[in-house]
Amino acid sequence: MPLIRDGKIVEDIWVSLDDEAELPEQGDVILSLDRLKKEANAIQTRSGRTGVVLENDVDEEDVETYLPHIELIALTFPAFTDGRAYSQARQLRTKLGFEGELRATGNVLADQATFLCRVGFDSFEVDNDQSIDVWNKALRSMSVAYQRGYDGEQATRESGPLSQDKAHTSLA
Amino acid sequence: MYRYDEFDATFVSERVDQFRDQVARRVKGDLTEEQFRPLRLMNGLYLQLHAYMLRVAVPYGTLNSKQMHKLAYIADKFDRGYGHFTTRQNIQYNWPKLPDVPDILEHLAEVEMHAIQTSGNCIRNVTADQWSGVAADEVEDPRPYAELMRQWSSLHPEFSFLPRKFKIAVTGDKADRAAIAYHDIGLRLKKNAAGEVGFEIFVGGGMGRTPMIAARVRDWLPKSELLGYLEAVMRVYNLNGRRDNKYKARIKILVHELGAEEFTRQVEEEYARLDAPQGLPSDQELERIAAYFAPPAYEDLAENDAVHTQHLVDNKDFAEWVERNVAPHKITGYAIVNISLKPVGGVPGDATSGQMHAIADMAEKMSLDEIRVTHEQNLVLPNVRKHDLFAVWQELKEHKLADANLGLATDIISCPGLDYCGLATARSIPISQDISIRLGDIKRQRDIGDLKIKISGCINACGHHHAGHIGILGLEKRGVEYYQITLGGSGDETASIGQIIGPGFSSETVTDAVETIVDTYMDLRKSGETFLEAYRRVGAEPFKEAVYATH
């Protein structure tokens, strides 16, 4: 499954760990929330980085106490029409101040790219064969956006005069 | 009215290009129909029974003459010479071809229009009182805030994949002509004790198979905080609304299941912790938008116009049209002209390209270049000098647009039904035509008085039957259409949900039943009592007795 970051397909160095598998001392692993809770102490001492995958019905406050030890949160899109993860991402970034990698997994399409970036996702596991070019084109398709207070490369009304090639230069 | 600046123009034109690319990828096979579906829906493109249908947004129902001319042009060039105005103040084209749609959108962009979010599980086109800015008793014109919401909701990064569609309506008046109680969010501008204007906020109204009247979640919110509060409502819904069953996915079900009090608590909690100013427009931006809705250049006129008064005396037909279709204006010497798109026996809400051009011309010459679309599928010329009323009426007559039936029995709301719609279970247009012909005698209609008949061709209730004084719902059993009748619904400031009176009727007998109900009302009404008032006084029993005794 290709992983997109910074407009490129990159190698995924994170390993999703089964709940039964042993927690390795080294290497970057993604745990379920249950496993994370059980290993709350262990993850603080291991040398590898720890991430967690959150289901759509998890209250983000459930993960709040672990955030200082977490460097990646994966949110899931069971269907690309299921938009809960957008609000989860938004909450993690703004309310809880999470600054690590926020990964979109599941049914992720290029046509969601701008939305995903604007709520704070920065890596994308795309489960279809859309090429990186389609992804980047989709990302550049809108240079302006109306909503204030969201991220992204788009200009908003308050961000000053329109820069026609803002999206292009920042992604080049 | 609002005009696009470079920012808006860029947004809409990039959106057209984006959709053109999506259509190309679909045609090439790079997108499956399943992937393409939500994308095309977000641009108002449905796949209907016989063809694609394109629904074009008329934000808060406001158009200028140039835009109306363009809608007529599109009807001629890309469709079959007509369009259908809908209960959400939009216009639908029933026969566009998929490869033409990006071109249609480009034409629309030329006149500052689009089809963004006229369908799909996102925030739909925001609707408003069709008399906004001109109604005689308005608190304040709600359209600057409707425009603010149009912008804010367009391609919202967080709220574009909601559990279900989401409809917002706004009014600036105590009298509710926008049916706000039947919307996911209903907004009403009102003054607080200190005399400041703010929003009263209702959430969780809706029609469909589970009709609900919205609950009030906020008595008063400062106007400038609107988007922050909406964000809180939307976030609670996006995270907690049901996604397991599309019939339980609207926000009304969430409000109902949590209870209005708990829902309100969650919204207020979310709102309290929002970093609100970050998401709010600046004062300059609010002023920039509001400036576009400054009153047009009204002339200083006398209350009465001698020429107009003389025409009223000389011409009974004209006087009757004025009585039904013309409403008081907030500016002295002006009037609001309501154009009925409900000719007896016609298709409710349909207008030919010729009619659209004619209305555009009239608007330019005699309505300070403004036109409104109503949720009751009619049109409005909001700024007509009393002096010009006779000329407008004559012109309307020439184009078969002068029916003096506004708010009367033949001013029927009807969804397209099984003649067009892929979801419909029964025909609705032919039923509305049949009823319209049966009750069509204008003398009889005037005698009956205010009566709202609303017809839906399926449980989704696009024809607003729940809010009809007489509501008709078309269903199907073993391949045969039948029609349920509800009584006592209302979409105004005294909103109520119509109640089913009993077993349904066949397509052959439903008009008889409606006529019996109307006749029963005529027999039992007290002097000056409208149908709805009479129903609320006597209840359903006398109507049931009459209908089921004779049918």
Side-chain angles (χ1 to χ4, degrees):
Chain A
M1 206 174 293
L3 179 72
I4 297 176
R5 228 194 121 97
D6 298 327
K8 293 187 281 289
I9 291 182
V10 296
E11 193 195 346
D12 188 4
I13 49 173
W14 290 83
V15 175
S16 288
L17 206 65
D18 278 346
D19 279 355
E20 288 74 34
E22 198 182 325
L23 183 68
E25 165 55 25
Q26 296 179 341
D28 301 336
V29 295
I30 301 174
L31 310 177
S32 71
L33 182 58
D34 278 351
R35 182 76 187 270
L36 179 75
K37 287 178 174 172
K38 285 192 192 115
E39 310 269 9
N41 293 325
I43 59 166
Q44 295 184 36
T45 56
R46 58 190 297 271
S47 66
R49 295 181 298 171
T50 307
V52 63
V53 56
L54 297 184
E55 300 303 323
N56 291 129
D57 52 3
V58 169
D59 189 339
E60 69 289 338
E61 283 169 6
D62 245 26
V63 80
E64 190 171 5
T65 50
Y66 311 104
L67 283 186
H69 313 293
I70 300 243
E71 291 178 67
L72 178 145
I73 295 176
L75 296 171
T76 58
F77 288 83
F80 100 97
T81 49
D82 186 334
R84 285 174 290 182
Y86 293 105
S87 284
Q88 290 180 296
R90 175 75 176 162
Q91 305 249 40
L92 286 167
R93 287 294 193 216
T94 57
K95 196 168 106 196
L96 303 182
F98 178 66
E99 290 179 349
E101 179 172 338
L102 202 48
R103 181 178 290 194
T105 69
N107 199 335
V108 177
L109 274 184
D111 304 276
Q112 295 157 279
T114 49
F115 296 151
L116 291 168
C117 289
R118 295 193 63 213
V119 295
F121 284 102
D122 47 16
S123 72
F124 315 90
E125 252 176 43
V126 286
D127 79 337
N128 55 76
D129 52 7
Q130 291 182 346
S131 71
I132 186 72
D133 297 339
V134 173
W135 179 272
N136 283 329
K137 192 174 167 192
L139 206 52
R140 289 194 198 100
S141 58
M142 300 298 296
S143 66
V144 292
Y146 283 117
Q147 302 76 23
R148 300 158 179 89
Y150 286 82
D151 296 334
E153 303 299 335
Q154 288 76 20
T156 61
R157 285 211 181 269
E158 275 81 359
S159 67
L162 264 189
S163 139
Q164 294 298 338
D165 54 2
K166 191 170 186 240
H168 300 257
T169 49
S170 69
L171 288 165
Chain B
M1 58 185 280
Y2 190 71
R3 299 302 313 262
Y4 285 7
D5 62 4
E6 189 195 357
F7 189 97
D8 301 297
T10 303
F11 180 87
V12 169
S13 119
E14 288 180 347
R15 181 69 178 129
V16 172
D17 293 343
Q18 193 181 48
F19 189 63
R20 189 182 290 283
D21 177 61
Q22 286 165 349
V23 169
R25 281 157 59 212
R26 171 72 194 112
V27 171
K28 233 171 89 187
D30 290 350
L31 280 176
T32 65
E33 173 55 24
E34 194 197 349
Q35 291 170 332
F36 181 56
R37 189 173 172 276
L39 301 175
R40 66 169 161 76
L41 287 178
M42 277 187 69
N43 242 317
L45 191 62
Y46 281 77
L47 196 52
Q48 295 287 61
L49 277 182
H50 313 290
Y52 279 105
M53 178 273 278
L54 179 68
R55 184 183 291 152
V56 174
V58 180
Y60 36 93
T62 298
L63 290 167
N64 62 26
S65 61
K66 203 171 148 195
Q67 292 171 324
M68 186 62 110
H69 279 304
K70 183 63 95 175
L71 294 177
Y73 169 84
I74 290 169
D76 275 334
K77 185 165 167 74
F78 299 102
D79 206 287
R80 298 185 180 175
Y82 67 97
H84 176 74
F85 290 97
T86 78
T87 54
R88 302 218 67 255
Q89 300 179 308
N90 294 321
I91 181 169
Q92 293 181 180
Y93 295 105
N94 289 304
W95 310 98
K97 294 182 187 64
L98 179 59
D100 285 342
V101 173
D103 293 339
I104 298 175
L105 296 178
E106 207 166 302
H107 277 287
L108 290 169
E110 276 173 26
V111 294
E112 307 179 3
M113 293 183 77
H114 59 68
I116 296 168
Q117 289 167 214
T118 52
S119 62
N121 293 336
C122 46
I123 303 168
R124 303 287 189 88
N125 181 38
V126 174
T127 56
D129 178 1
Q130 67 269 16
W131 296 351
S132 293
V134 294
D137 45 5
E138 187 176 71
V139 174
E140 194 174 296
D141 185 350
R143 289 175 304 159
Y145 288 88
E147 172 59 25
L148 183 70
M149 288 188 280
R150 180 193 73 80
Q151 299 186 12
W152 163 81
S153 62
S154 294
L155 301 188
H156 198 291
E158 188 178 344
F159 307 128
S160 286
F161 297 93
L162 299 169
R164 200 75 180 84
K165 58 188 170 182
F166 203 92
K167 300 174 180 179
I168 302 176
V170 57
T171 179
D173 203 339
K174 238 192 199 131
D176 181 6
R177 288 171 290 266
I180 63 168
Y182 273 106
H183 282 75
D184 295 286
I185 295 180
L187 302 167
R188 187 200 327 260
L189 282 165
K190 71 172 220 186
K191 284 185 179 156
N192 66 6
E196 300 159 305
V197 177
F199 285 104
E200 186 178 13
I201 300 177
F202 301 83
V203 179
M207 306 226 188
R209 67 184 60 203
T210 322
M212 302 240 186
I213 302 292
R216 185 165 69 181
V217 298
R218 247 300 171 123
D219 184 53
W220 192 86
L221 179 86
K223 285 188 295 182
S224 60
E225 295 179 28
L226 179 64
L227 295 188
Y229 201 87
L230 294 183
E231 186 178 322
V233 173
M234 298 310 300
R235 185 165 299 133
V236 169
Y237 172 55
N238 191 37
L239 285 168
N240 304 303
R242 287 180 61 172
R243 291 177 188 261
D244 58 327
N245 178 343
K246 86 180 246 200
Y247 300 113
K248 298 195 168 174
R250 296 286 291 269
I251 197 171
K252 64 189 171 187
I253 303 293
L254 180 66
V255 174
H256 182 72
E257 287 182 353
L258 288 176
E261 204 175 314
E262 170 60 15
F263 175 81
T264 305
R265 192 195 62 74
Q266 291 189 16
V267 168
E268 290 289 344
E269 186 182 272
E270 180 64 27
Y271 183 58
R273 71 189 178 203
L274 275 183
D275 183 11
Q278 200 193 11
L280 297 181
S282 62
D283 289 347
Q284 297 96 298
E285 175 60 6
L286 287 176
E287 283 160 22
R288 185 189 72 85
I289 294 175
Y292 287 110
F293 297 95
Y298 290 117
E299 294 169 47
D300 202 3
L301 300 173
E303 174 64 38
N304 292 311
D305 180 87
V307 177
H308 171 62
T309 310
Q310 192 58 46
H311 282 305
L312 285 177
V313 175
D314 294 346
N315 192 316
K316 185 167 149 286
D317 287 348
F318 172 64
E320 288 185 351
W321 174 79
V322 169
E323 190 194 323
R324 275 322 300 187
N325 289 41
V326 175
H329 198 287
K330 68 159 71 158
I331 304 295
T332 306
Y334 282 83
I336 302 171
V337 168
N338 296 279
I339 302 171
S340 166
L341 294 181
K342 315 292 176 61
V344 171
V347 178
D350 273 12
T352 65
S353 58
Q355 289 175 323
M356 288 188 244
H357 281 306
I359 290 166
D361 286 337
M362 275 180 267
E364 193 183 357
K365 282 186 230 131
M366 295 181 282
S367 181
L368 299 174
D369 206 30
E370 265 197 58
I371 302 155
R372 307 284 176 82
V373 183
T374 85
H375 90 271
E376 293 181 313
Q377 301 182 286
N378 292 313
L379 298 173
V380 175
L381 296 174
N383 291 313
V384 179
R385 298 190 308 174
K386 285 181 182 169
H387 184 83
D388 293 331
L389 283 171
F390 191 71
V392 166
W393 177 69
Q394 284 183 309
E395 188 86 7
L396 288 171
K397 252 179 33 161
E398 197 169 306
H399 295 277
K400 299 192 165 55
L401 289 166
D403 293 76
N405 61 348
L406 197 87
L408 295 178
T410 58
D411 185 4
I412 299 172
I413 290 184
S414 171
C415 73
L418 201 50
D419 292 288
Y420 294 98
C421 178
L423 302 171
T425 43
R427 292 167 301 154
S428 45
I429 291 171
I431 302 300
S432 75
Q433 291 171 312
D434 206 34
I435 293 170
S436 171
I437 290 166
R438 181 76 66 90
L439 302 175
D441 177 68
I442 190 64
K443 207 165 150 262
R444 184 180 182 191
Q445 289 191 63
R446 290 171 61 82
D447 193 15
I448 297 166
D450 289 344
L451 178 60
K452 294 186 190 296
I453 301 177
K454 308 191 185 204
I455 306 176
S456 305
C458 82
I459 195 77
N460 291 311
C462 297
H464 292 190
H465 65 275
H466 297 299
H469 301 166
I470 300 177
I472 299 169
L473 166 62
L475 296 164
E476 174 264 316
K477 203 191 263 170
R478 291 185 214 98
V480 181
E481 296 159 301
Y482 71 101
Y483 296 85
Q484 257 178 12
I485 292 182
T486 53
L487 293 180
S490 169
D492 65 10
E493 62 281 5
T494 66
S496 55
I497 297 167
Q499 300 300 310
I500 298 170
I501 58 165
F505 302 87
S506 70
S507 56
E508 289 80 27
T509 57
V510 64
T511 301
D512 295 335
V514 169
E515 188 172 31
T516 303
I517 288 165
V518 170
D519 289 343
T520 305
Y521 152 70
M522 300 293 278
D523 288 344
L524 62 74
R525 72 175 168 186
K526 291 180 173 172
S527 167
E529 196 175 48
T530 64
F531 180 91
L532 187 62
E533 288 162 355
Y535 174 85
R536 285 175 174 172
R537 175 173 58 83
V538 302
E541 234 17 76
F543 299 98
K544 283 188 194 176
E545 272 168 32
V547 167
Y548 292 106
T550 51
H551 296 288

